[in-house]
Amino acid sequence: MVQAYILIQTEVGKASAVAVTIAGIPGVLQAEDVTGPYDVIVRAEADTVDDLGRLVVAKVQQVEGITRTLTCPVVHL
């Protein structure tokens, strides 16, 4: 299982709606509005890195109101 944090920038005033929409996507564990350079932070998981990439590109990035994402895979050292 691969997990990642997805840092999301949104259009002004869209963070809450984006977080709610993303929270309903299968594979998303948590989606929270935050302050700072990013508007929403998501914790997601998938079976493989490829599946995680598909989740981000095909599902998360398609949510209306998102302007930019940064995916940070979790590593266990």
Side-chain angles (χ1 to χ4, degrees):
M1 192 66 63
V2 179
Q3 293 189 342
Y5 288 96
I6 306 166
L7 311 177
I8 299 172
Q9 292 177 335
T10 69
E11 296 172 5
V12 174
K14 301 278 182 144
S16 183
V18 166
V20 168
T21 302
I22 291 175
I25 295 173
V28 171
L29 304 175
Q30 193 170 12
E32 299 285 346
D33 299 18
V34 296
T35 60
Y38 293 94
D39 303 304
V40 177
I41 296 181
V42 173
R43 176 102 184 213
E45 70 177 3
D47 289 333
T48 67
V49 173
D50 288 339
D51 289 340
L52 180 64
R54 281 189 281 278
L55 170 68
V56 173
V57 174
K59 304 271 171 90
V60 173
Q61 290 182 347
Q62 300 306 312
V63 172
E64 186 176 339
I66 291 178
T67 58
R68 186 175 182 161
T69 66
L70 175 65
T71 303
C72 304
V74 174
V75 295
H76 300 283
L77 303 176

